[in-house]
Amino acid sequence: MIKVVTVSRQYGAGGHLFAKLLAKELNVPLYDRQLIHVAAAQLLAGNGVLTKEELIKIEAEVPPLGLNFMEFFNFGIRGSKPLNTQIFEAESAVIAKLYDQERCVILGRCADFVLHDKADVLKVFVHASDPWRQQYALDHYTGKPLFMLKDEDKKRAAYYSHYTRQTFGDPDNFDVVLKADSAATGDLARAMAAYVKSFD
């Protein structure tokens, strides 16, 4: 049985939509970077918010990222480690707890690396050609130009490399690599869901 599917993606490759549709097809929760980030912040603040019920509560109460996102400094974090390291470790703890608690889909936050030693985790990477990403950005990201998409990829790659010592998007780190161009996102999600269910 596959317990958790982690989804990593190029910016503008439709990975968030894919993960959302996949979770719906599997009838399991999707935990994205915002939920994990906020849960980690509360964990660092000493609130111990890690139960399934508390995570659901956070998900219901936190506005979409960009509208009213709670930054970590609002939680009064203290300690000798650099703040970014504390954040990564807390997010990793949240991801590990999610794995322990239930079947789910986890988007981003180096979840593929955090859970790399788990045999019942399927690690997926979603990428796309530049023209496809450009069109996706026009449709979903208020027309961000390709260079902005690639700049975001550089940031993701630097973050991923710093904490995992691995190369972002390297197919050797994933079980499945999907090209968004190859089919409609919904079709890709349904096909992946069928693959996941084949292990039950």
Side-chain angles (χ1 to χ4, degrees):
M1 180 185 79
I2 292 174
K3 186 175 183 183
V4 173
V5 180
T6 68
V7 178
S8 301
R9 76 283 192 208
Q10 278 185 308
Y11 193 68
H16 190 281
L17 177 59
F18 167 80
K20 181 179 179 180
L21 295 174
L22 176 61
K24 183 177 180 180
E25 289 288 333
L26 294 173
N27 195 29
V28 300
L30 166 65
Y31 294 106
D32 63 14
R33 70 169 184 146
Q34 180 183 0
L35 178 60
I36 292 170
H37 193 73
V38 174
Q42 296 202 11
L43 175 64
L44 281 172
N47 296 343
V49 180
L50 284 175
T51 68
K52 180 178 177 181
E53 291 73 21
E54 289 293 343
L55 285 165
I56 291 172
K57 185 171 183 283
I58 292 171
E59 186 174 28
E61 292 178 351
V62 176
L65 189 64
L67 291 181
N68 188 24
F69 189 50
M70 292 182 287
E71 296 290 350
F72 270 94
F73 60 76
N74 289 336
F75 289 85
I77 296 172
R78 301 288 185 272
S80 58
K81 291 183 181 179
L83 177 59
N84 286 346
T85 299
Q86 293 183 62
I87 293 170
F88 177 77
E89 290 178 353
E91 289 181 342
S92 297
V94 171
I95 289 167
K97 189 69 174 180
L98 291 173
Y99 168 82
D100 288 339
Q101 289 182 165
E102 62 184 328
R103 298 185 79 172
C104 60
V105 175
I106 302 176
L107 179 68
R109 313 323 293 165
C110 301
D112 58 287
F113 175 78
V114 175
L115 301 177
H116 72 277
D117 60 339
K118 307 296 185 184
D120 53 358
V121 171
L122 184 74
K123 300 175 288 296
V124 179
F125 185 80
V126 181
H127 70 112
S129 66
D130 286 350
W132 195 96
R133 293 168 71 196
Q134 183 70 79
Q135 184 60 51
Y136 192 85
L138 286 172
D139 296 338
H140 297 86
Y141 301 147
T142 62
K144 285 185 179 180
L146 186 61
F147 80 86
M148 291 183 69
L149 305 183
K150 292 189 173 184
D151 283 347
E152 185 63 28
D153 276 341
K154 289 178 183 177
K155 293 176 186 176
R156 288 182 179 180
Y159 178 90
Y160 188 86
S161 175
H162 178 76
Y163 289 109
T164 70
R165 298 295 186 262
Q166 295 179 351
T167 301
F168 179 72
D170 184 345
D172 287 342
N173 298 330
F174 299 92
D175 303 304
V176 178
V177 177
L178 294 175
K179 190 173 184 182
D181 312 41
S182 62
T185 307
D187 291 340
L188 288 174
R190 281 186 288 274
M192 184 55 56
Y195 180 66
V196 170
K197 292 174 182 177
S198 73
F199 289 86
D200 290 349

